[in-house]
Amino acid sequence: MLYIPAHALFDRPMTSRFAAALLASVLVTAAPAADPPATPADAVSRAPAAAWRAIPADELLVMTIEGKRRIVIQLAPRFDPGHVANIRTLAKAGWWDGTSINRVQDNYVVQWGDVTERKPLPPGMPTDLKPDYARPLDEFRSGLVRLPYPDSYAPATGFVDGWPVAMDGQAAWLPHCYSFVGVGRNNAPDAGTGAELYAVIGHAPRQLDRNIAVVGRVIEGMASLAGLPRGTGEIGFYTAQEHKVPILSARLASDLPPAERPAFEVMDVTSSSFADYLRLRANRKDDFYIRPAGGVDLCNVPVPVRPAR
Amino acid sequence: MLYIPAHALFDRPMTSRFAAALLASVLVTAAPAADPPATPADAVSRAPAAAWRAIPADELLVMTIEGKRRIVIQLAPRFDPGHVANIRTLAKAGWWDGTSINRVQDNYVVQWGDVTERKPLPPGMPTDLKPDYARPLDEFRSGLVRLPYPDSYAPATGFVDGWPVAMDGQAAWLPHCYSFVGVGRNNAPDAGTGAELYAVIGHAPRQLDRNIAVVGRVIEGMASLAGLPRGTGEIGFYTAQEHKVPILSARLASDLPPAERPAFEVMDVTSSSFADYLRLRANRKDDFYIRPAGGVDLCNVPVPVRPAR
């Protein structure tokens, strides 16, 4: 089964009876592949095998929370090698096992880690990481695809190596889009260790870009995180009376037994399939959409990811 | 107690122990009011009474869902008089009482109404509304405050009469920001009646702008809607086995007994308080934020709303 962001499939607040009828018609009358794709979902479903890239198993953090719900986070070592190295160290040490999700702030973040902040970190793990939240643009010029629409936060945006990027003339950085994962920290110049992480569950808080380390994105299980009850304490922390959600385990996929190891592919952003997908995300026009926007913002073009075939 | 979007108060993924310490210090050492405000929260908390406008009671739809959770929606009659008239008719008829929330699609919408789509509408209520999703810009030139940053979807954006607006040279329309409420419909040219409504619970799906009617925004109870379990049916509809969330009642505040009537105020977007708030949303710089964005997108400047004093 194809894994795409659900809202790319039918992103329209249609009525329920109409949705059922439309889905039935789609199942019966799929357009011949020779026609150009008409929707972002078409572009994704028709992408050939060559348009997909396997995600390395040591770039997948597999977290299991209460209820055996699985959260899979794709790590971004090219954008933040220091924090990703720490996250790998923490996963190998089983450091998050027995910790919890401690904060759920509506339209903002879900945050997890050791709520006591007294659990010893793995010996030798660096804790003095530098607050360098952008990388030299030169590292990303190969394979860079520009997004040709204005952005409210950065001089330029685009996609590279499966990731959205914001850019100025010198540097590139990961944006705080929905589902993206960052590193909680204290006041500057502290950069956090990677032991306390958060995922964005609301409108992209792009004001955090270049102010905090972005280390990856949730590619499976977002609904389990975003659907958690909001904490009623200050800034959404669960109070002593509320139920912190236990983290049962967090491991790199590469350290799991083969039978338990998830595998994912991400769309090649230089492929013609991605070009179709991007164009259609910016220009919806079909039986439902009557007025194409003629533009789209960086966080509304989630790069398609699917389970490996 | 001041009601502002929680993330405007401390929008930073700080660690939990640090948050407690910071909150304690804020309570003890509030800056003298003579200093310029340093954060968006400062700008809101210092706004004088003259910077606030009462929201008329017939522009508040008060919905109670299972668990006696209250949802308050501010209606926008200036932007869509036809659908708002229908919503008032439906509320006065008690039409939503006994219906349910039927769809929760992650990073997209919560949708409610009559899941059978067979409940008779109030007699005489128009059902052939026109698909006019924008208004003449001339209607909004008075009191219009421009947002001086580029937008990915519209030639211009700003604020007027307490609402964010997107604009071109001729027209103005409400954007699909987080918490905004729209009217479910079938394929074009159907424009929906207003009986099936949705609220945005994810990154702003601005591709829907001018494709569907936006009629208001949730100003109380968003956490109750956004924290609902996601539906596992197609496009997030609850399946027959899942629990649809009952709507106990939905009434205009003006039709409630005075003791049960909520009252809210919205910030005057032409006030200097709003100018401060806007500037600070675009330029966070303090002990936590080291790099101001120098810009902000329309949906990341929620117009402050608070319970009336």
Side-chain angles (χ1 to χ4, degrees), chain A residues 11-12 14-18 108 111 117-118 150 152-153 185-186 204 210-211 227 288 290-291 300, chain B residues 11-12 14-18 106 108 111 117-118 150 152 185-186 204 210-211 227 288 290-291 300:
Chain A
D11 52 347
R12 53 194 69 176
M14 66 184 80
T15 60
S16 48
R17 198 163 49 168
F18 178 66
Y108 199 43
Q111 191 168 320
E117 291 186 48
R118 296 180 197 285
S152 307
Y153 294 89
R185 65 167 172 86
N186 297 321
R210 288 190 288 178
N211 279 292
F288 189 86
I290 51 183
R291 182 139 197 171
N300 255 334
Chain B
D11 53 348
R12 52 193 70 175
M14 65 183 81
T15 60
S16 49
R17 196 162 52 169
F18 178 66
D106 193 52
Y108 199 43
Q111 191 169 320
E117 292 186 47
R118 295 179 198 288
S152 307
R185 65 166 171 87
N186 298 321
R210 288 190 288 178
N211 279 292
F288 189 85
I290 51 184
R291 183 141 197 170
N300 255 336

Side-chain angles (χ1 to χ4, degrees), chain B residues 43-70:
Chain B
V44 174
S45 66
R46 294 184 192 177
W52 299 92
R53 299 278 172 270
I55 300 174
D58 67 351
E59 294 180 8
L60 295 174
L61 179 65
V62 182
M63 187 162 80
T64 306
I65 64 173
E66 188 181 51
K68 295 193 176 171
R69 288 172 289 182
R70 189 171 77 172

Side-chain angles (χ1 to χ4, degrees), chain B residues 4-303:
Chain B
I4 53 169
H7 67 290
L9 185 57
F10 288 110
D11 53 348
R12 52 193 70 175
M14 65 183 81
T15 60
S16 49
R17 196 162 52 169
F18 178 66
L22 178 63
L23 286 162
S25 75
V26 167
L27 294 174
V28 174
T29 62
D35 295 345
T39 66
D42 281 350
V44 174
S45 66
R46 294 184 192 177
W52 299 92
R53 299 278 172 270
I55 300 174
D58 67 351
E59 294 180 8
L60 295 174
L61 179 65
V62 182
M63 187 162 80
T64 306
I65 64 173
E66 188 181 51
K68 295 193 176 171
R69 288 172 289 182
R70 189 171 77 172
I71 315 294
V72 180
I73 296 166
Q74 180 187 6
L75 301 171
R78 281 188 68 189
F79 286 90
D80 190 341
H83 283 103
V84 168
N86 274 8
I87 289 168
R88 286 173 170 151
T89 298
L90 290 157
K92 284 177 184 295
W95 190 87
W96 282 291
D97 303 10
T99 66
S100 54
I101 296 172
N102 307 311
R103 177 189 185 194
V104 184
Q105 181 172 355
D106 193 52
N107 192 21
Y108 199 43
V109 297
V110 167
Q111 191 169 320
W112 63 91
D114 169 34
V115 72
T116 70
E117 292 186 47
R118 295 179 198 288
K119 184 169 183 171
L121 293 168
M125 191 184 89
T127 57
D128 58 346
L129 298 179
K130 293 229 170 355
D132 294 334
Y133 305 125
R135 304 287 302 178
L137 181 59
D138 284 342
E139 296 180 6
F140 297 97
R141 291 194 193 273
S142 169
L144 178 64
V145 174
R146 301 261 174 181
L147 183 64
Y149 308 111
D151 184 77
S152 307
Y153 294 88
T157 61
F159 303 88
V160 67
D161 197 18
W163 296 93
V165 284
M167 299 169 277
D168 59 18
Q170 287 78 46
W173 58 93
L174 290 179
H176 272 80
C177 294
Y178 190 88
S179 85
F180 275 57
V181 174
V183 175
R185 65 166 171 87
N186 298 321
N187 266 353
D190 179 58
T193 62
E196 192 150 351
L197 298 174
Y198 62 88
V200 172
I201 60 164
H203 188 73
R206 298 273 310 276
Q207 71 276 9
L208 292 169
D209 291 2
R210 288 190 288 178
N211 279 292
I212 200 160
V214 180
V215 291
R217 63 183 162 205
V218 177
I219 59 172
E220 180 183 296
M222 262 313 287
S224 296
L225 294 178
L228 291 173
R230 277 50 183 156
T232 63
E234 294 286 356
I235 61 169
F237 276 99
Y238 287 135
T239 63
Q241 291 72 39
E242 290 175 314
H243 177 67
K244 295 169 185 63
V245 181
I247 296 173
L248 307 180
S249 73
R251 293 287 184 285
L252 295 175
S254 48
D255 290 334
L256 291 174
E260 299 172 24
R261 194 180 296 166
F264 288 88
E265 297 172 337
V266 60
M267 190 177 273
D268 179 352
V269 298
T270 67
S271 67
S272 63
S273 297
F274 187 79
D276 285 340
Y277 170 76
L278 175 54
R279 175 176 46 79
L280 290 162
R281 290 291 293 172
N283 298 284
R284 299 302 308 261
K285 180 108 176 70
D286 52 36
D287 291 341
F288 189 85
Y289 282 89
I290 51 184
R291 183 141 197 170
V296 65
D297 86 86
L298 183 63
C299 289
N300 255 336
V301 189
V303 179

